[in-house]
Each structure stands twice: as structure tokens, then as C-alpha cells.
Amino acid sequence: MKLRRLVLATLFAACGLAQASLPEPVARLAAAGGIPEDAIGVLVLRGDNVLVANLPEQPRTPASTMKLVTTMVGLEELGPVFRGRTELRSSGDIVNGVLKGDLILRGGADPDFNEDAFVHMLEKLRMQGIKRIAGDLVLDRQLWQPSRLDLGVAPFDEAPEAYYNVIPDALLLNMNMLRIELSSDDKALRFNHLPALERVSVQSDMTLVDADCAKWEDGWKIPNYSRKGDRIIVELHGTFPRNCKKVTSINVLDRQEYAARLFRSIWTRLGGSFGGKVRDVGLAEHTAWIERAAASHAAGAAPKATADADPSAPLPAVTVGAGLAPDGTRLLAEHVSRALPEIVRDTNKPSDNALARTIFLSLGSLQPDPVLGSRPLPASTQLALLSAAAHGSGGALPAAAGAAGAMAAGPASGADANAAAGPFQPAATEATVAGGAVAPAALQPVPASTAARAEQVVRNWMRRHGIDDTGLVLENGSGLARIERISPVQMAGVLKAAQKSLWAPEFQSSLPIVGVDGTMRRRLKDSVAASRARIKTGTLRDVVAVAGYVPDADGNQCIVVAMVNHDRAGNGIGRGIVDALIDWVAHSSATIQ
């Protein structure tokens, strides 16, 4: 049964209000910390009863609790067998150990595509007898628009090199991270790095100091890199404690450079040779291919590779089975990520921003496939989105997109076409809008970016579940944003809908267990909530938030949402307030009022 509109007036009228103001322990801590109650948004539900409500309809900055929205919608829209995928393809023949053509590395939002996976893919090429690649290595990031979200973006904070600040793309190799191992004695600092990148080395001007090894990051300064000919030198700066050993990972190199040098290093190590370039597929050539693919599918036949085919033809965005794609390229090797529930768990437990952003953008770019795990949207839908990306949004999805798109997608090999379609519908289907009205998709504006389409998917999901999305602001779905907004009542609506979801076990098992694991492992260890409550945390400068499920003293599962937005929320004050609320709920009882 769909969740009715979660509006406080309805809840109060139906069930009554048990505790309108903040509980006394929470209010006392807020007052002591100098945080006014109007800076705290709270909603606590026991079933349909409202236990605590403090300005719950006011949108606030949720920090990483926004990941709950992204992961819940991801599970419901993409399904539990959804997997990102990376492919190596080529239209060239293999003749006497030579691949006579370009090697295409196509990104499919695979969050597990790391160095080891890349090694195994290239090993499969060697097993097929390929010793030399006569063409280029062509990187296809065009699944998402824009394809390089990281370019031209100002640093979010003072640590742009940190993993939590990585901005993903559809072909993000090893999260673009360089692992640095640092160790020192009384006199010298030693360091090394992984993975090995061709002609990349690390240097340091770090000074050894007498300091606590546990606080080594206090002396860390932002690293950079320089070039000397065709070599790249990563430079470490700052201070480092004597007699200390630490490991850190940094995102410093441009990802194009990173992928090219990692490929060359691995391929050489495997005994292969390569004399071509490493280049990206551009938006224009990618769009041209999609136009041909859409036309070919609409005509009922896929294009065939011919001797006079344009060698610079862009890459396909549709994979047909595990053999020939519509452009005549053949799958040589692939890597498939873990299933979505595992990715969701690794998103919410440690609060991984890159994984959350990958799921969010997958909502706008991929559809589930029961055999392949995932595949891109139909070619006609992609064409409309690519046109919007190139020229800006303003038109509606073409009326013919539904039929043509269904043809363009095609069924997965050996799979039922209807099952393969999953929750994504052709572009001409109807969509629920605010207030419960239904508007044809042909009248909806075409999103100008993958993120905008993902937002459309999230809002449609919320509306279908009776959650008013007024005031909701989405940027990247991870909560690592200053502009994202959601109200406690909306967040509670998501959590309430999640309780009734087919994938409720997968969702709830992804949340940190209080006092046990994830971002809650060190919190409330002595509370009755420990080992029982499952809470997603959120922290930014001036923001502390929690959202999740807390069993009360009778074992009834309560929904708890709290957001503190105030410049005094740091230094443990905001955390103390929300933790006090969790503890209060865990001690509460429906039989003792």
C-alpha cells in the first residue's frame, strides 16, 4: 500500500501528539550549547504516532543523511541485481597477435573498477593472443553528461585531494587514487606509492617533527604534481612525525593522465606493446553514433561493420548481449561490479560520497537488466538527453521516443524483453506530478544533464509514494553539498516507505549499527540504543544530522530524523544533541507516557 501524504496535520489529527516540543534532555543540551530550538528540525514517529515534532516541515541541510534518499530510490528503481559494468571492445580483427583497430574502454558506472579489475581485463586480451594494439586506447565516459563533472569545479573544502571529495565519472578507474605509504624513523622519511603508473614518481619536501603520530594529518599540506618532459612528479608537502607509519590515498592526477599511465604500465608488464594514443570520445561523435543507432533500431536492423566504415566513428552506448554491438564492435573483456545491495551497504555504513554519487547518476543513465545487470537507456532517449546536454534543455521528449526507444534497447541475450525493461519506462509513458496529477512524459522538459534526469527519477519516486517534494533540493545525492535541502518530514516519509519496500532488509542492513559499525561505531556505546538502532549520520561544517530506526523500550521500531543547522553545531555540540534524542527514543515506551 502506498504511503499517504506525510503531512503533520494529518498525523496529528489521526493519532494525536505525544511530545510536541523537544524532549527535556535534548532541549537542555541545545540551550547549554547556545543553539536555539528553531535551528533544530526533528520528527520522531512510532508507527503513525508522532512522538516529537520540532519544525519538521522546514527544509534543512541534511549532510550525508541525503544518502538515504539516493540509496532507497536506487534499490527500488534499479533493483537488487543491478550492477555497473566496464567493457573492453574493438571493431578490429586480431591478426597474428595484433589487434588491428582501436581498443575501446567503455565506462558503465562501475564503482568496483579498480587496478586489479583492469589487470584481469587486460590479461584476458593476452589470453586471446593479443600482443600488440595497433590503434588507440579510446576512453568512453559519455554515459553521463557532462562526461567530466570534475572539470572547472571549485574545491568543496580545504582537502580537494581527499577521497571523500572525489567526483566520479562513468569510467572512474581506481577512484583515481594514488596510495601513499609513509614511514619515518628519527632521521629520515621513506615513502612509496601504488599503483605503479608509467613515468610517475613521488617526491617529498616534508619535514620531520616531534609530534603525535595519531595526529599526523595536522601537518599535512595539499600535494601537487609537476612535469619534467614526459615524466610526472607528485610532490608531498608539510610535516610528518618522527617514528611514525601511515598510509593515505590522494586524488591529485588528472584522471585522463591516470588512466593512460596505468594502462601503459599494466600492458607493458603483461608483455604487450602499444604505440597509439589514449584519447576520449567527444560528445559530438558519440551523439552521431547514437543517431545512427536509433535510426537503425527504428528500421529494425542494427548497423553492420563494413570495409569503408569511418574509423573515427564514435562508440556505442548500447550493449547487445556479449557479442556484437550495433556498431560492429565485439566484447573482448568485461568487469561487472558487485550487486547494488552490496554497493548500498558500502555507501551508507562508511558514508561514501563517491559511491552515493555513482548510484545517483546511475538513476539518470542506466536501466536494470536481469542478465547483464545494467544497460544504458534506449538510444532514442539518450539522443534526446544528448541533444539537451549539447544545446540546453527546453524541449519535451519526442512523442516517438517510446516506441523507438524500446526498439533501440532490445532485449538482453536470452532474457524476456519486458523483464529487461525494469522500472524504467519508455520516454513516452506518463509520470505522476505534484498533487497526484498525471502528465504525459512527452510534455515534460528534457533534462540537460544526467544529474537533472536523476533528480527527476527521485522526485517521481517520492510523488508515487505520496511524499510532497516541495522544498527538496538535490545536487549530487550524497549530501556533500551546501545547497541540498530536505525536511525532516520528507526524510521520515522516505524511511516509512522503505519499511514497506520489497528491499527493506537490504536497505536497513546498510545503515550503521549504533555502537557497532560504520559512522556510529564509536557513538552511544553505553546507551540502550547500542546494537539495536540503525542510524545514518551526516556532518558538514555547521551541520549535524541523523536519520534512521530506533527501537523503543518495548521493541517498537521508531523513525528518528534530526537536523541541526547552526554555526555552533561543531565541536561535539550538535552530535551531543542528536545522540541524546536517539537515547531518549530508545528509553521511551508506548505504555508509559
Side-chain angles (χ1 to χ4, degrees), residues 2 5 429-441 444 456-467 469:
K2 290 183 179 180
R5 290 176 64 86
T429 58
E430 295 179 333
T432 305
V433 297
V438 176
Q444 297 182 27
Q456 196 174 73
V457 172
V458 171
R459 290 184 182 276
N460 287 342
W461 179 90
M462 293 181 77
R463 293 164 185 171
R464 287 199 307 273
H465 286 79
I467 303 169
D469 66 334

Side-chain angles (χ1 to χ4, degrees), residues 164-212:
Y164 70 84
N165 271 322
V166 170
I167 299 174
D169 63 55
L171 181 61
L172 186 57
L173 174 54
N174 214 40
M175 289 294 176
N176 210 58
M177 303 304 290
L178 200 61
R179 177 185 169 95
I180 309 291
E181 297 181 355
L182 300 151
S183 63
S184 66
D185 52 26
D186 285 331
K187 298 180 179 180
L189 172 66
R190 295 171 294 279
F191 47 86
N192 55 60
H193 72 277
L194 290 172
L197 305 176
E198 185 188 61
R199 300 183 186 278
V200 173
S201 59
V202 177
Q203 292 184 358
S204 169
D205 61 13
M206 300 182 80
T207 303
L208 290 180
V209 295
D210 294 319
D212 185 351

Side-chain angles (χ1 to χ4, degrees), residues 44-47 51 528-529 532-533 549-560 582-593:
V44 179
L45 303 176
R46 178 189 290 128
L51 300 187
V528 293
R532 301 173 68 235
Y549 305 103
V550 180
D552 67 10
D554 303 317
N556 300 305
Q557 191 178 66
C558 299
I559 289 174
V560 176
I582 293 169
D583 186 67
W584 180 87
V585 173
H587 280 96
S588 70
S589 172
T591 59
I592 303 175
Q593 299 294 335

Side-chain angles (χ1 to χ4, degrees), residues 97-108:
V98 179
L99 178 62
K100 299 282 190 175
D102 293 336
L103 179 64
I104 301 163
L105 180 60
R106 179 179 306 149

Side-chain angles (χ1 to χ4, degrees), residues 187-444:
K187 298 180 179 180
L189 172 66
R190 295 171 294 279
F191 47 86
N192 55 60
H193 72 277
L194 290 172
L197 305 176
E198 185 188 61
R199 300 183 186 278
V200 173
S201 59
V202 177
Q203 292 184 358
S204 169
D205 61 13
M206 300 182 80
T207 303
L208 290 180
V209 295
D210 294 319
D212 185 351
C213 184
K215 297 181 179 179
W216 73 276
E217 289 181 301
D218 291 349
W220 177 264
K221 295 188 182 300
I222 298 174
N224 64 304
Y225 72 90
S226 60
R227 295 179 184 274
K228 288 187 178 179
D230 63 349
R231 300 192 64 84
I232 289 180
I233 301 170
V234 176
E235 300 167 344
L236 308 179
H237 309 293
T239 62
F240 192 77
R242 290 184 173 88
N243 301 304
C244 183
K245 185 175 183 178
K246 291 293 178 181
V247 177
T248 188
S249 293
I250 58 175
N251 170 34
V252 175
L253 300 178
D254 178 82
R255 58 196 59 187
Q256 178 84 355
E257 195 89 66
Y258 186 102
R261 292 174 184 262
L262 182 55
F263 165 72
R264 292 178 188 275
S265 175
I266 295 171
W267 189 240
T268 299
R269 211 161 60 234
L270 293 175
S273 64
F274 172 72
K277 300 179 297 183
V278 178
R279 60 182 176 86
D280 275 329
V281 172
L283 177 60
E285 58 180 347
H286 181 79
T287 302
W289 184 90
I290 296 296
E291 289 173 341
R292 296 198 300 273
S296 297
H297 278 291
K304 298 179 180 179
T306 61
D308 59 352
D310 180 4
S312 64
L315 311 179
V318 180
T319 298
V320 179
L324 290 175
D327 70 336
T329 64
R330 185 175 299 280
L331 182 67
L332 300 177
E334 66 182 336
H335 177 262
V336 181
S337 76
R338 292 166 296 155
L340 183 59
E342 296 180 66
I343 302 301
V344 166
R345 185 182 186 280
D346 282 355
T347 299
N348 285 332
K349 291 277 189 185
S351 201
D352 192 300
N353 295 314
L355 293 183
R357 295 173 81 143
T358 299
I359 296 171
F360 181 72
L361 290 166
S362 294
L363 287 168
S365 59
L366 290 168
Q367 55 188 342
D369 187 291
V371 175
L372 300 174
S374 69
R375 55 191 168 91
L377 300 175
S380 58
T381 303
Q382 291 183 65
L383 189 57
L385 298 173
L386 289 167
S387 177
H391 305 105
S393 183
L397 285 170
M407 296 176 68
S413 298
D416 178 76
N418 291 327
F424 273 105
Q425 301 300 318
T429 58
E430 295 179 333
T432 305
V433 297
V438 176
L443 301 179
Q444 297 182 27

Side-chain angles (χ1 to χ4, degrees), residues 555-574:
N556 300 305
Q557 191 178 66
C558 299
I559 289 174
V560 176
V561 181
M563 302 175 189
V564 182
N565 287 191
H566 194 270
D567 58 10
R568 294 189 178 184
N571 298 319
I573 297 174

